[in-house]
Amino acid sequence: MDQVSQLSESLSFSLMNKQQEDDMFYESEIPGKGIGLIAKRLIRKGETVMKRQPSLLVQVETQARTDVHVRDILYGQAMDGMRDLDRSRVMGMTGSDLGDKIDKNCFRLRINDDENSDSGDHYIGCYPDIARLNHDCRPSLVYAINNFTHSISAVRDIDAGEELSISYIRLLSPRAQRLAQLKHWGFSCSCAHCTMSSKDAATSDAHLRAIVGLERDLDNFKETLVMPETGAKLVELYQRERLHLYLSRAYAQAAINYATFGREDEAKEYARLALERLGIEPVSNAEDVVLMTLLSENPRLHGAWEARLNAIK
Ligand SMILES: C[S@@+](CC[C@H](N)C(=O)[O-])C[C@H]1O[C@@H](n2cnc3c(N)ncnc32)[C@H](O)[C@@H]1O
């Protein structure tokens, strides 16, 4: 979709669905976290929760090169140019001044790039409605920023009264490391996963270490410890850890791994599960969808078919 049609789709989504959003969640004071968003009704897995264009966009390179005094003048001009409603939402974001508000609430994004390279223009985008979402190490929502559009959907069913949350960081580090990383963001994480007992945290940390180890083994085709079931074991660990937001990748790895051992039925089944999870994500990676569709229909046509069997021979 080009940027103009994406923008108009997103704007019409915002207008048409404002009523639906009002019916979906509300803002509330959350003990120890400031303001947050609470589900008003059951939100189904895969439901779109919000879609927004940025109220303010900062080009990272220009910002880094600009002296603080000039930057403040530019920020002021940008604020003056905003509609009253946007200005008051931006000023309502948590933080002492605009620079601090941007640091604490806004998202880094990259435009016109190839995902795997360092090229592209780097921006910081401010989406004040989305900035009300607190962090949780087991978030209920997943987000994606495609061009400038920020889209969020539910990774699992969310009960009425539950807090809506996203993750500000990647979640495979042990508790102590996650806490240190979030401290760097200026807060001490009080999510249920960071405040659990030391015994439960040690079990969770062991699962996370096992996940990282299995992913490393699965990525290495020379790794002889990998069995046909290694990918399924990875999926199981992600499920036990309730890291639903990473399940599409885990199912995909399991599907490919079964294919590398020539296990057609399991490869098809896990590819089908990967496709189901990809459908839940706000923006699915087109390449992943094509690969998983191929695997779910005819794993023998995938480049990885029997790759590990052939390596053992
Ligand atoms: C993007 S804002 C989220 C909305 C914010 N609570 C508000 O009142 O506008 C990020 C700030 O929320 C608070 N916060 C978010 N997640 C938290 C968590 N898991 N534990 C404690 N504080 C949290 C921190 O103060 C953090 O700097």
Side-chain angles (χ1 to χ4, degrees):
M1 205 188 307
D2 64 39
Q3 278 187 32
V4 175
S5 39
Q6 199 183 21
L7 177 69
S8 77
E9 190 219 42
S10 170
L11 287 176
S12 62
F13 179 93
S14 305
L15 294 173
M16 278 166 47
N17 291 281
K18 183 79 187 91
Q19 184 60 44
Q20 263 164 273
E21 278 186 12
D22 287 348
D23 159 59
M24 208 184 255
F25 55 80
Y26 60 94
E27 281 189 6
S28 178
E29 192 68 32
I30 315 285
K33 297 184 190 166
I35 297 171
L37 301 182
I38 305 287
K40 238 185 210 181
R41 60 158 172 86
L42 171 70
I43 300 175
R44 289 278 179 208
K45 177 169 77 176
E47 253 190 88
T48 300
V49 174
M50 269 197 255
K51 206 172 232 193
R52 291 286 187 277
Q53 293 299 319
S55 300
L56 182 67
L57 207 52
V58 178
Q59 202 172 21
V60 172
E61 222 182 292
T62 315
Q63 189 205 35
R65 272 194 273 111
T66 312
D67 126 338
V68 178
H69 175 66
V70 178
R71 194 190 306 170
D72 285 345
I73 295 175
L74 293 175
Y75 282 162
Q77 285 173 353
M79 296 295 286
D80 289 346
M82 272 182 207
R83 291 177 314 160
D84 290 350
L85 183 63
D86 277 333
R87 193 180 313 111
S88 72
R89 295 295 285 166
V90 169
M91 290 318 288
M93 296 191 308
T94 182
S96 52
D97 54 28
L98 190 53
D100 189 40
K101 287 178 195 295
I102 289 173
D103 284 348
K104 287 203 162 91
N105 296 276
C106 301
F107 294 78
R108 280 193 164 246
L109 46 128
R110 226 160 46 174
I111 304 295
N112 300 330
D113 70 328
D114 156 3
E115 237 185 47
N116 301 314
S117 85
D118 243 3
S119 67
D121 302 324
H122 295 240
Y123 291 91
I124 297 169
C126 296
Y127 306 83
D129 297 340
I130 289 170
R132 286 300 189 213
L133 288 165
N134 287 318
H135 165 87
D136 197 294
C137 292
R138 294 296 175 269
S140 52
L141 306 172
V142 60
Y143 73 84
I145 304 176
N146 190 20
N147 285 327
F148 296 113
T149 307
H150 195 312
S151 316
I152 304 188
S153 57
V155 281
R156 58 169 172 80
D157 287 350
I158 304 167
D159 286 331
E162 255 193 84
E163 184 184 0
L164 304 181
S165 56
I166 55 171
S167 175
Y168 298 176
I169 57 170
R170 190 146 163 82
L171 292 171
L172 296 184
S173 309
R175 174 165 77 173
Q177 263 181 43
R178 294 196 311 272
L179 282 169
Q181 210 179 335
L182 291 165
K183 195 98 203 159
H184 193 69
W185 273 60
F187 68 96
S188 178
C189 184
S190 61
C191 82
H193 216 71
C194 286
T195 50
M196 61 175 30
S197 71
S198 304
K199 187 166 164 267
D200 289 346
T203 306
S204 168
D205 286 354
H207 289 158
L208 295 172
R209 273 193 290 275
I211 286 174
V212 172
L214 289 182
E215 289 198 327
R216 196 182 41 230
D217 293 348
L218 285 164
D219 279 344
N220 178 359
F221 276 75
K222 293 201 178 76
E223 180 51 74
T224 52
L225 292 175
V226 171
M227 312 288 281
E229 295 75 20
T230 303
K233 168 95 184 132
L234 177 71
V235 168
E236 197 189 304
L237 279 170
Y238 270 120
Q239 284 168 332
R240 276 169 74 175
E241 275 303 302
R242 294 180 300 109
L243 282 169
H244 307 91
L245 75 168
Y246 301 143
L247 269 177
S248 62
R249 187 178 133 81
Y251 278 127
Q253 279 176 296
I256 292 169
N257 192 53
Y258 274 123
T260 65
F261 284 96
R263 298 264 292 255
E264 187 166 350
D265 291 347
E266 290 100 332
K268 282 182 173 175
E269 175 60 5
Y270 276 83
R272 193 190 57 72
L273 292 165
L275 282 172
E276 207 175 281
R277 288 302 311 182
L278 284 165
I280 286 167
E281 291 170 7
V283 180
S284 318
N285 181 311
E287 204 178 312
D288 290 346
V289 172
V290 170
L291 274 181
M292 288 304 119
T293 304
L294 173 76
L295 266 180
S296 69
E297 288 168 359
N298 191 349
R300 289 166 187 269
L301 295 180
H302 192 282
W305 180 252
E306 293 191 338
R308 283 193 201 271
L309 283 187
N310 293 332
I312 296 166
K313 278 178 198 161

